Amino acid sequence: MLTFRKALLASLFVLTVLYLLRSSHEPSPLETQASKDFIPGLADENQNAAATETGIPAAGPSSKSTPSDSVRATRPGQGKKGSSGQHSLSKPKDQSLGARLAYQYPYDMESQFPAAIWQTWKTTPASGDFPENYRTGEASWTNKHPGFIHEVITDQVAVYLIKHLYASIPEVVEAYESLQLPVLRADFFRYLILFARGGIYSDIDTTALQSAVDWIPERIPLSSVGLVIGIEADPDREDWQEWYSRRIQFCQWTIQAKPGHPVLRETIVHVTEEALKHKREKIHHDKVIEFTGPALWTDKVFEYLNSDQYFDMATSKGNITWKEFTNMKDIRKVGDVVVLPITSFSPGVQQMGAGEPDDPMAFVQHDFEGSWKPEAERHIGPQT
């Protein structure tokens, strides 16, 4: 006869067996942690999470670009993660600098633009030594971008930040430290911080006229854009080479990017390799514009736009050149790159067709202080 006591014991026995069987099939806490997405080089989880949560939302419905917006389609799958969204724990087979950079900070075109603004100066705005003529411009970035992370990185902090972000790629750190001129480091830093963290970099002598949320029109889905740049110079004159390095020159005093973008990666590779070569051969490089500045940046943008590694060139009518961007009055999208007209980042220069700061297409005003240069070299081009 089944008594209450026997039934209770039997129930306890069955429950114990079931518990033991379940425990033997459950992963341990260490196994569970190891199965999560592996994100190498994550420096500050809290800050990264904050930037993601406050990232620029997709503008309006996911309407597709009109034919006039884009002149080249990306290759299928460009900028997208693998189906698992995970990275192998083993190192990439390709040990080139570019491959290791891509492994450390992979590019996801469909991700949001991080809501972060990066600027650099010798001191922070909290210091009494911060120049008064920069305070209004610096504050404009915070005022126009509530909810964004806005950091003014000092020269000293920049060194430690680069060491932290690129600890696994020591030659990048070595190259950064080998640069003797402050302007070379300032140029290199903007590429490095945007590649690792994304967001907006803008020189300290700039003023935000409109929020970055409004830079790209609703007809262009943000999930199809990874880099936003503006035209610095479009000199339609025979002697343009006496004033500018390139017929069309893209500015790098203001750049918006998603982490890991290939243009940033290739720029970093070039500067690193050149800097280390100069260090070995004890060469002093003072050609800033060509070495780290807008000439190099412009070249890398065009190389990217004409690369069959990133774009389907089968339907291309030929290389994209300066002719596609001269006399621009509106935004143009090429693959995942949005190019803004000269008015957007250079309003008020009173040449090359640029509009005034109150123009609807004026987003950022640059004061052209060039604080790293001698006074006689702070402006480029004819003055009116």
Side-chain angles (χ1 to χ4, degrees), residues 91-110:
K91 292 183 178 181
K93 294 181 180 179
D94 182 357
Q95 288 295 299
S96 67
L97 177 57
R100 285 181 288 134
L101 285 166
Y103 174 79
Q104 185 74 4
Y105 296 112
Y107 172 49
D108 180 9
M109 180 176 64
E110 295 185 351

Side-chain angles (χ1 to χ4, degrees), residues 305-325:
L305 297 180
N306 291 296
S307 172
D308 58 8
Q309 181 180 354
Y310 303 106
F311 297 94
D312 184 1
M313 307 296 287
T315 58
S316 174
K317 297 180 180 180
N319 281 350
I320 291 178
T321 68
W322 63 268
K323 295 180 180 179
E324 274 71 42
F325 303 107

Side-chain angles (χ1 to χ4, degrees), residues 80-263:
K80 297 181 180 180
K81 294 179 180 178
S83 58
S84 67
Q86 296 181 344
H87 302 281
S88 170
L89 291 174
S90 60
K91 292 183 178 181
K93 294 181 180 179
D94 182 357
Q95 288 295 299
S96 67
L97 177 57
R100 285 181 288 134
L101 285 166
Y103 174 79
Q104 185 74 4
Y105 296 112
Y107 172 49
D108 180 9
M109 180 176 64
E110 295 185 351
S111 65
Q112 292 183 327
F113 278 102
I117 299 166
W118 309 99
Q119 296 184 289
T120 59
W121 187 245
K122 302 170 186 177
T123 60
T124 68
S127 169
D129 295 329
F130 190 79
E132 290 299 321
N133 57 317
Y134 292 161
R135 289 193 181 277
T136 301
E138 185 274 334
S140 72
W141 287 97
T142 297
N143 295 335
K144 292 289 185 181
H145 300 85
F148 278 53
I149 295 171
H150 180 197
E151 297 286 349
V152 177
I153 307 297
T154 65
D155 297 341
Q156 184 177 11
V157 170
V159 175
Y160 292 106
L161 185 56
I162 296 307
K163 286 182 178 179
H164 179 73
L165 294 174
Y166 293 90
S168 63
I169 313 177
E171 55 263 60
V172 171
V173 178
E174 182 184 357
Y176 181 81
E177 292 183 318
S178 74
L179 299 175
Q180 300 299 313
L181 297 178
V183 62
L184 297 178
R185 286 195 176 193
D187 280 344
F188 200 17
F189 178 83
R190 71 195 65 192
Y191 307 134
L192 293 170
I193 192 66
L194 288 177
F195 183 73
R197 287 292 175 260
I200 299 168
Y201 170 86
S202 195
D203 279 356
I204 200 67
D205 58 346
T206 60
T207 299
L209 302 177
Q210 296 189 47
S211 171
V213 176
D214 301 321
W215 290 0
I216 301 176
E218 293 185 1
R219 70 177 184 268
I220 301 178
L222 294 184
S223 60
S224 69
V225 180
L227 183 66
V228 181
I229 58 176
I231 291 178
E232 174 183 0
D234 183 12
D236 186 14
R237 47 189 295 167
E238 293 182 0
D239 63 344
W240 66 266
Q241 289 177 310
E242 296 181 18
W243 302 101
Y244 299 95
S245 299
R246 302 294 183 269
R247 175 58 182 81
I248 282 286
Q249 192 162 288
F250 299 119
C251 75
Q252 34 91 277
W253 61 69
T254 301
I255 303 169
Q256 184 180 30
K258 293 176 180 177
H261 196 278
V263 175

Side-chain angles (χ1 to χ4, degrees), residues 335-366:
D336 64 337
V337 179
V338 164
V339 181
L340 305 176
I342 192 170
T343 299
S344 295
F345 290 166
S346 300
V349 296
Q350 299 180 349
Q351 55 180 321
M352 296 177 286
E356 295 302 314
D358 60 354
D359 191 292
M361 288 300 298
F363 301 149
V364 177
Q365 186 167 13
H366 189 215

